[in-house]
Amino acid sequence: MGKYLSIAGISIKNSLVYRASVTGRVVFYFVFIFVFFSLWSMIYSGNEIAGYSLVQMIWYVCMTELVVFCSGSEIFGRMNHEVKSGEIAYRLLRPWNYIFMQFADMLGSMAFSASVFTVMAVLLGFVFAGPIQGFNPASVPLIVISFVLSITMNFFICMSLGLLAFYFEENSPFYFIYQKLLFVFGMLLPIEFLPIWTQGILRYLPFSLITWGPARMVVNFSYEYAFEIIPMQAAWCVFSVLLAMFVFSRGVRKVNVHGG
Amino acid sequence: MFTEVKTHLKLILKYFTFNLSALTEYRTSFLVQVFGMALNNASFAFFWWVLFDRLGTGIGGYGFTDVMFLWAVASTGFGLSHVFFANANRISGMIITGELDTYLLQPKNPLINSISARMSVTAWGDVIYGIVLMALIKASGMMWVMFGISIFTAALLITSIAVAGHSLTFYFGNMEAVGRTLWEFTITFSIYPETIFKGPVKALIMTAVPIGFITHVPLRLVRNFSWGTLLLLFGVTLAYALFAFILYMKGLRKYESGNLIVTRM
Amino acid sequence: MAAIVLENLSKTYRVKVRGEGLKNAIKSLVRPDYREVEAVRNISFSVNEGEMLAFIGPNGAGKSTTIKMLTGILHPTGGSMNVLGYNPVKDRRRLSYNIGAVFGQKSQLSFHLPPVDSFRLLSSVYEIEKSAYESRLKRLADLLELNEFLDTPVRKLSLGQRVRCEFAASLLHAPKILFLDEPTIGLDVVVKHRIRDLIIKLNKEENTTVFLTSHDAGDVENLCRRAIVIDHGTVALDMPVKKLKYDYLNKKVVSLKLNESAGIPEPPGVELIKKTPYAVKFSVDTRIAPISKILAMLDAGNIADITIEEPPMEDIIEAIYMGKREGG
């Protein structure tokens, strides 16, 4: 455990070096929220749409974007690069579990930006929308758990997709498709906007659970909802870790075959 | 001056055919990536379709077809930019790593030479998607005419904005993130109805960073054509391209060829 | 006639400075510090047309910076240069038709395509006429023996084959000056020799001026008559390679294998390095004891094998600095 902590520590420091990249992303986050604020303000006129008020809708986008900006999706590119360039072979020589090493590294590099983005998200929510009516501070711990699970499962899914580079010359389409599924099934629009029959399926799939899951918990909290969503997220988390381990161990064997 | 332009147009074309022949070496991956990009764009169309369907009315005077026209121009324009000038978005990287050296050794303008040296595979997906989208929304004749014109002005504007943003690396050290962010704004702003932007933002995208001329002005021309607006579109496009070019060439004097090292003390 | 003239050429970089630790990392986020680094300071020399010059020095001495200024890639902060009558700063493009460069680690070839495709592209970048291009390519392909892999994608070529292609790429437009920055780095002996032969041939047949930086003493000795040693951005030495060899290459290391155990004579200038019953290794300072004299002293009948080596370039350069520091 100690070595993973120290990896995370080093990554925190390194992440501070990339001032421009954090600043750039913060600005982009702001602009994104701004565009959606503009869009929703234009659309709403004191009404509710699909059960969401304007205030809830803006907070919703702030929250789903928070997940997306914090989720360390660049792990896909990194895996892809390490497999294709063969760098992964060197990493294997080190005395650690490769997958968890990467996870520790992501947590470390994320720590700084995640705190910045969380502050940003809350701040922009208040500036653009104001407080959410009926928000219960007691719900915060469950919301945090839900966010952590979201980010974790997204990380391991992206990692698995990146590791598909072991098997495919071109693995980016998988990543694209995954990103788009996140996008259409919860990131920009709550799934309540979609036809009823799709909602029944979507609430059990990872795409909506990553974005819609925690965001809806923020804007419209209820214990029944939290106790339905969090176990589902936890289950997908376990699945995604196992998936990453499976793809990795099978892939590494392939490297050895090619290497000979 | 005229021969200079001609020589460099020839060079761009040469790189185009060269890169195209490289693509055919990897036909499967080419097709897969093109498909991926088209799918990416289609997911936005899905978003708008769901939204318009749920609302049952227009948004700020825009209908579904209008937004899809914005999308078609943005997609094909962006695609063309990255088919011809994929390296425009890598300028900062080329400055930082010293990759620019190779182009500075050659007897061509380093900006034109370096940005046209690479072609993005996925960009073909964007090019095709825009055209397919136009067909799917059963675009009117006027829409097709404006589409035909504005994909080129859009491509030039998108490229120029990337060049201008990344050129800042010459002046202030690594501005890769800024360049990329600017480029993402460019895309983000051009795919939403103009009417949702107000005040200073609207002023900004119509002046200093002329994102509004990529898709919004062409849509205005579709709805309400005037020669003046069309001339303005051409004028702004050329002026901004020139501005980006000069910013780059002035910055080049400060180029340090991979020597921008951070030292520890 | 001088092909290259430098007068008081200087280059200063502005480098971001950051201290160790988290606190300084945060500080550099907010307000970065800069420090000036003088990579090249007031260097002056000239190179004649058709000359082959070795430009040597330790890493970070300013070699690459100088080459990049001479080729128009970097703009100097002071002084003046003239390359083939052009000012590289102002006439970069006109100059580039007349110069070629092989930079050890940088490639001009498209990784996924056969070299011949990259060559054709370069021929249009340099606006070489089709017939001229074809005859030039044929000549270079014969000279560098590229014919068997001209149509193989670059990614499938060996390092040696790739470097030969890089040379061909830089020579397509028949440059008058060839700048070489560590051209033989990482190559095996056979390829090194082939590359050296090519350079010599080009120099003889086309009177190409060669400006070479290398860590390989063999490159320097076999190719160049004159060497300039640069250190900390200034010219430390400018002398014929022969004299460099005499002054700094005055040590030879002799290894003997003996039939029967025996000692060796140890006149002044000879220093024993290692001795086992059937092998002896010693160094000879040729200024004090000419190597022929030492060999004459040995019992030829008892020698099973003999090798005489010269110390590597690194040692020579080190010796130069030691000498300079002691002297100054």
Side-chain angles (χ1 to χ4, degrees):
Chain A
M1 196 63 203
K3 55 190 169 194
Y4 299 109
L5 280 179
S6 67
I7 291 170
I10 291 169
S11 304
I12 293 179
K13 269 191 211 165
N14 282 340
S15 69
L16 291 180
V17 177
Y18 299 111
R19 165 176 63 155
S21 95
V22 175
T23 324
R25 277 153 39 94
V26 164
V27 176
F28 188 54
Y29 180 82
F30 171 81
V31 169
F32 209 92
I33 300 299
F34 172 78
V35 168
F36 271 83
F37 161 74
S38 311
L39 180 65
W40 288 119
S41 308
M42 167 74 68
I43 291 170
Y44 274 94
S45 48
N47 51 338
E48 265 192 8
I49 303 171
Y52 287 77
S53 69
L54 176 60
V55 172
Q56 284 175 318
M57 204 59 222
I58 292 168
W59 275 96
Y60 183 88
V61 180
C62 287
M63 290 301 136
T64 55
E65 285 301 309
L66 177 62
V67 175
V68 171
F69 273 81
C70 289
S71 60
S73 302
E74 61 264 22
I75 187 65
F76 170 81
R78 191 193 298 178
M79 289 297 95
N80 202 359
H81 173 78
E82 291 211 349
V83 172
K84 283 185 182 159
S85 67
E87 270 172 41
I88 201 162
Y90 298 101
R91 312 269 173 161
L92 295 177
L93 300 173
R94 302 280 175 79
W96 52 40
N97 177 309
Y98 182 76
I99 288 183
F100 293 113
M101 182 273 279
Q102 293 291 354
F103 186 60
D105 183 64
M106 183 277 289
L107 287 180
S109 8
M110 221 192 66
F112 176 64
S113 56
S115 12
V116 172
F117 282 118
T118 308
V119 172
M120 277 287 288
V122 174
L123 203 70
L124 291 183
F126 275 108
V127 170
F128 285 133
I132 305 166
Q133 278 194 337
F135 182 79
N136 178 6
S139 64
V140 170
L142 285 172
I143 289 172
V144 170
I145 291 172
S146 178
F147 269 98
V148 170
L149 291 171
S150 267
I151 289 168
T152 310
M153 70 197 254
N154 182 47
F155 176 84
F156 284 106
I157 292 172
C158 288
M159 182 180 218
S160 309
L161 295 174
L163 288 169
L164 286 179
F166 279 125
Y167 310 88
F168 299 94
E169 181 84 21
E170 265 315 327
N171 56 337
S172 38
F174 300 106
Y175 180 67
F176 275 146
I177 292 171
Y178 170 71
Q179 288 292 310
K180 293 320 133 193
L181 289 171
L182 283 187
F183 190 96
V184 298
F185 294 138
M187 193 178 105
L188 294 184
L189 288 175
I191 59 173
E192 286 85 352
F193 275 66
L194 299 167
I196 297 278
W197 64 271
T198 53
Q199 292 176 35
I201 306 166
L202 286 173
R203 59 200 301 146
Y204 300 109
L205 293 181
F207 322 110
S208 310
L209 287 173
I210 287 174
T211 51
W212 170 79
R216 198 200 115 177
M217 215 178 280
V218 172
V219 302
N220 190 6
F221 184 83
S222 78
Y223 283 101
E224 301 87 73
Y225 173 78
F227 291 133
E228 184 200 328
I229 294 299
I230 291 177
M232 288 296 301
Q233 287 184 308
W236 278 107
C237 252
V238 173
F239 174 80
S240 64
V241 172
L242 293 176
L243 180 70
M245 289 168 95
F246 175 74
V247 177
F248 176 74
S249 59
R250 283 281 301 267
V252 167
R253 258 183 276 157
K254 245 176 112 96
V255 168
N256 294 338
V257 175
H258 283 304
Chain B
M1 176 69 192
F2 179 69
T3 49
E4 271 291 273
V5 173
K6 209 174 112 188
T7 327
H8 284 93
L9 283 178
K10 252 199 214 157
L11 182 72
I12 293 168
L13 212 63
K14 205 77 204 176
Y15 274 122
F16 177 77
T17 50
F18 176 77
N19 287 323
L20 206 58
S21 71
L23 285 190
T24 54
E25 294 258 310
Y26 295 90
R27 219 176 39 195
T28 345
S29 97
F30 170 65
L31 291 175
V32 167
Q33 293 203 35
V34 166
F35 164 77
M37 213 16 100
L39 183 86
N40 171 35
N41 301 349
S43 66
F44 274 94
F46 178 78
F47 160 78
W48 284 108
W49 178 73
V50 169
L51 190 59
F52 275 105
D53 188 54
R54 169 69 55 171
L55 297 176
T57 59
I59 298 173
Y62 278 55
F64 181 67
T65 315
D66 294 326
V67 178
M68 289 304 105
F69 176 79
L70 294 181
W71 256 94
V73 173
S75 179
T76 303
F78 169 84
L80 287 177
S81 164
H82 274 222
V83 158
F84 284 98
F85 309 114
N87 266 347
N89 217 10
R90 286 186 60 242
I91 289 175
S92 292
M94 290 196 285
I95 296 169
I96 300 296
T97 59
E99 198 184 323
L100 199 57
D101 289 4
T102 314
Y103 302 102
L104 282 166
L105 279 170
Q106 297 174 348
K108 287 287 172 292
N109 177 281
L111 174 60
I112 310 292
N113 197 356
S114 63
I115 64 173
S116 41
R118 210 170 58 92
M119 172 185 282
S120 156
V121 180
T122 49
W124 282 105
D126 294 309
V127 174
I128 295 163
Y129 176 80
I131 299 167
V132 171
L133 190 60
M134 286 291 289
L136 285 179
I137 59 171
K138 302 199 178 71
S140 64
M142 190 55 199
M143 270 190 173
W144 277 106
V145 170
M146 278 322 299
F147 178 78
I149 294 170
S150 56
I151 52 174
F152 294 106
T153 51
L156 201 53
L157 277 169
I158 291 167
T159 311
S160 307
I161 291 171
V163 170
H166 283 289
S167 293
L168 297 178
T169 293
F170 285 126
Y171 300 87
F172 306 111
N174 195 352
M175 289 284 138
E176 172 134 39
V178 174
R180 276 185 192 274
T181 310
L182 189 64
W183 166 81
E184 285 186 68
F185 289 176
T186 308
I187 303 302
T188 307
F189 279 107
S190 42
I191 53 182
Y192 294 94
E194 182 187 354
T195 40
I196 72 167
F197 303 115
K198 298 192 174 71
V201 175
K202 183 160 190 171
L204 184 73
I205 64 171
M206 286 299 168
T207 56
V209 189
I211 297 170
F213 286 83
I214 296 173
T215 56
H216 299 141
V217 170
L219 184 61
R220 278 196 215 169
L221 281 162
V222 168
R223 303 170 128 208
N224 191 5
F225 181 83
S226 90
W227 286 104
T229 315
L230 187 66
L231 280 177
L232 185 71
L233 175 63
F234 289 143
V236 168
T237 305
L238 287 178
Y240 205 75
L242 195 66
F243 162 72
F245 183 83
I246 292 170
L247 193 67
Y248 180 96
M249 293 309 288
K250 285 227 185 280
L252 192 61
R253 290 185 206 157
K254 298 171 187 275
Y255 177 56
E256 300 205 330
S257 173
N259 290 305
L260 287 162
I261 342 137
V262 175
T263 51
R264 283 171 173 272
M265 293 202 71
Chain C
M1 221 193 93
I4 304 174
V5 182
L6 288 74
E7 262 170 58
N8 295 322
L9 199 69
S10 305
K11 175 74 189 176
T12 309
Y13 294 115
R14 212 166 70 120
V15 176
K16 214 185 249 178
V17 181
R18 183 166 46 91
E20 291 282 358
L22 199 62
K23 204 182 125 200
N24 282 311
I26 294 171
K27 185 187 162 280
S28 89
L29 277 178
V30 186
R31 190 152 38 88
D33 284 336
Y34 291 95
R35 186 166 57 99
E36 306 243 296
V37 175
E38 288 183 288
V40 172
R41 315 178 210 200
N42 292 322
I43 59 172
S44 306
F45 60 85
S46 67
V47 184
N48 283 329
E49 220 166 77
E51 194 177 354
M52 293 212 260
L53 174 82
F55 194 62
I56 51 186
N59 288 329
K63 289 172 297 183
S64 297
T65 303
T66 308
I67 285 203
K68 284 174 183 170
M69 286 193 282
L70 290 173
T71 47
I73 293 173
L74 287 177
H75 291 197
T77 27
S80 66
M81 335 170 250
N82 185 316
V83 181
L84 296 170
Y86 298 107
N87 174 353
V89 177
K90 286 189 187 140
D91 311 316
R92 182 190 68 78
R93 278 172 57 189
R94 262 180 294 162
L95 174 65
S96 64
Y97 284 107
N98 299 297
I99 59 171
V102 178
F103 290 161
Q105 313 295 357
K106 279 191 186 114
S107 181
Q108 313 182 56
L109 306 169
S110 186
F111 192 60
H112 296 295
L113 292 178
V116 71
D117 288 4
S118 292
F119 294 158
R120 205 170 299 132
L121 180 72
L122 281 168
S123 82
S124 37
V125 171
Y126 283 94
E127 295 164 56
I128 308 170
E129 265 180 50
K130 200 163 182 251
S131 59
Y133 161 70
E134 272 160 10
S135 63
R136 182 73 180 166
L137 180 62
K138 193 178 172 306
R139 180 174 142 79
L140 290 171
D142 291 341
L143 211 58
L144 286 157
E145 295 170 43
L146 309 176
N147 287 308
E148 33 175 312
F149 51 82
L150 268 181
D151 294 310
T152 313
V154 171
R155 74 192 129 94
K156 291 185 183 155
L157 300 183
S158 72
L159 181 62
Q161 292 172 327
R162 236 179 262 182
V163 172
R164 275 143 69 195
C165 290
E166 291 290 344
F167 266 85
S170 305
L171 292 167
L172 277 174
H173 56 289
K176 295 196 185 86
I177 304 179
L178 189 57
F179 290 92
L180 303 171
D181 196 357
E182 299 291 349
T184 61
I185 202 160
L187 297 179
D188 64 56
V189 183
V190 181
V191 182
K192 266 185 195 176
H193 279 283
R194 192 182 265 145
I195 297 281
R196 283 178 202 158
D197 289 347
L198 163 85
I199 297 171
I200 291 168
K201 214 165 178 175
L202 275 170
N203 176 258
K204 273 209 186 107
E205 292 178 12
E206 299 177 6
N207 199 30
T208 309
T209 310
V210 176
F211 193 102
L212 167 85
T213 78
S214 180
H215 271 98
D216 189 312
D219 284 350
V220 174
E221 285 182 52
N222 290 299
L223 294 173
C224 306
R225 265 201 222 131
R226 179 178 158 212
I228 288 179
V229 180
I230 177 169
D231 183 32
H232 292 104
T234 56
V235 174
L237 277 181
D238 182 350
M239 58 162 65
V241 170
K242 249 190 199 153
K243 185 152 172 4
L244 186 79
K245 269 175 80 174
Y246 178 79
D247 286 356
Y248 298 100
L249 279 173
N250 42 39
K251 266 213 176 91
K252 305 260 182 208
V253 176
V254 182
S255 309
L256 298 177
K257 281 203 180 112
L258 304 171
N259 293 325
E260 280 170 37
S261 178
I264 51 150
E266 289 184 48
V270 172
E271 210 174 298
L272 197 66
I273 298 172
K274 205 169 143 193
K275 187 176 184 304
T276 59
Y278 296 100
V280 185
K281 195 173 185 181
F282 59 94
S283 69
V284 180
D285 187 334
T286 48
R287 285 174 305 185
I288 304 168
I291 196 86
S292 55
K293 212 170 112 193
I294 301 298
L295 292 179
M297 283 173 158
L298 298 172
D299 174 7
N302 192 25
I303 297 173
D305 194 10
I306 181 166
T307 48
I308 304 176
E309 294 166 298
E310 287 172 356
M313 197 71 201
E314 254 73 29
D315 293 2
I316 301 167
I317 292 172
E318 198 183 328
I320 294 169
Y321 299 131
M322 296 296 281
K324 276 203 82 85
R325 266 167 222 147
E326 279 161 21

